[in-house]
Amino acid sequence: MSESKRPTGYSGLPSSEYDRFPKAGDRMVFTGEGGYEIQRKHALETFKVGQVLTVEQCEVGGWDHRIWFVGHEGWFNGVLFDPVPKGQAPWTDEQVTKLNEYQACDHALQFTCPGDNACPSRNLIATTEGWVCACGDYTQDWAHEGMFHGAPPNPAEFLFGDSAKTRDKNAGRDE
């Protein structure tokens, strides 16, 4: 269906109820369960159970909701999909870049491996499948939502201006 002919979405529901439906950019995981048999069969021919998809558009009707996904033609019955919790892997390449920017930041608390001090570097590394430690013994599949914005502003710069950059470089040195 062409972009100009897609329905705009009408729910007739109070806005508080409409908020529970997916919006463009939300990620959904295909469960392969629920819906009408013909709709489920079509979805099973298109997706793998457990596949994570990005919502392009959602239309809410009186009896159901239809979802269009980025890179896929046509709509699918929304009951065949569950939302991926915010911060939950898998992550996009852009999200991985932002998470690793956060991890490289010297003024924020990084995620670390809970293993002993034998790890070469206890800081976790973001991948599309989640966090991994260089030791190979630890993985994690979630991140705080704010970490997806990359490195946070340095609070010392708000207090001390440009001198905070010099102070950070000299931290721990005897003066």
Side-chain angles (χ1 to χ4, degrees), residues 78-97:
V79 300
L80 297 166
F81 303 87
D82 284 338
V84 174
K86 294 214 183 291
Q88 187 77 35
W91 299 317
T92 64
D93 290 338
E94 182 182 332
Q95 289 173 314
V96 167
T97 298

Side-chain angles (χ1 to χ4, degrees), residues 34-104:
Y36 296 107
E37 184 177 346
I38 193 165
Q39 293 170 337
R40 187 173 49 255
K41 182 180 176 191
H42 171 65
L44 284 165
E45 291 170 352
T46 308
F47 308 118
K48 293 180 182 174
V49 172
Q51 184 174 348
V52 176
L53 304 150
T54 303
V55 174
E56 183 177 315
Q57 178 180 333
C58 178
E59 174 195 290
V60 180
W63 296 101
D64 66 356
H65 64 288
R66 299 173 180 185
I67 302 175
W68 285 261
F69 293 104
V70 174
H72 296 279
E73 288 292 320
W75 60 269
F76 297 87
N77 188 334
V79 300
L80 297 166
F81 303 87
D82 284 338
V84 174
K86 294 214 183 291
Q88 187 77 35
W91 299 317
T92 64
D93 290 338
E94 182 182 332
Q95 289 173 314
V96 167
T97 298
K98 293 294 185 182
L99 290 169
N100 284 320
E101 283 175 14
Y102 183 95
Q103 282 292 94

